[in-house]
Amino acid sequence: MKPQEFWNSTYREINIYIQTHLIKITDNLKREINLQEAVTNKLIRADSMSKKPKIVPIRDSYKDLFKEEEQRIMSPKEIKRRMREVMIQEKN
């Protein structure tokens, strides 16, 4: 969002922009954590010094960040219902 657009926007538009931007940042952080965890796990397993390496998941350090992801598992019916609600809200 450009500064001109920001000052000419309504409160609702700014709120939506900020929330989507926050979601984008959170998703990027989650993706980076997953990538780093995969790389470190491979490096630990590749180490020939120990036969049974102890792998501590990085996700355990960020439980609050991944907590809602575990709770978000929805059935196909729930997904359809929510998508219909979004479509109805966009029409109004």
Side-chain angles (χ1 to χ4, degrees):
M1 182 179 276
K2 296 176 184 176
Q4 297 169 346
E5 295 171 356
F6 181 81
W7 293 114
N8 295 330
S9 299
T10 62
Y11 174 77
R12 182 173 183 250
E13 292 170 340
I14 294 170
N15 189 19
I16 291 170
Y17 171 77
I18 291 172
Q19 287 180 1
T20 54
H21 190 68
L22 182 63
I23 291 170
K24 180 182 172 187
I25 291 171
T26 306
D27 287 343
N28 288 341
L29 179 61
K30 287 179 184 178
R31 188 178 315 116
E32 191 66 30
I33 289 169
N34 288 330
L35 177 65
Q36 294 297 328
E37 183 174 33
V39 170
T40 48
N41 290 348
K42 285 187 178 190
L43 288 172
I44 291 170
R45 287 187 189 121
D47 184 21
S48 62
M49 297 298 285
S50 61
K51 292 183 180 182
K52 292 185 179 180
K54 180 181 179 184
I55 297 176
V56 179
I58 298 173
R59 292 177 128 210
D60 289 350
S61 301
Y62 300 97
K63 287 182 181 180
D64 292 338
L65 187 64
F66 290 99
K67 181 172 55 175
E68 60 188 43
E69 207 174 82
E70 294 169 0
Q71 295 173 353
R72 275 194 195 172
I73 299 173
M74 293 188 281
S75 67
K77 289 180 181 179
E78 180 70 18
I79 294 171
K80 286 180 186 178
R81 185 183 65 77
R82 288 195 176 187
M83 290 302 291
R84 286 186 184 130
E85 288 176 2
V86 168
M87 297 294 284
I88 292 170
Q89 288 177 355
E90 285 183 358
K91 286 181 182 178
N92 295 336

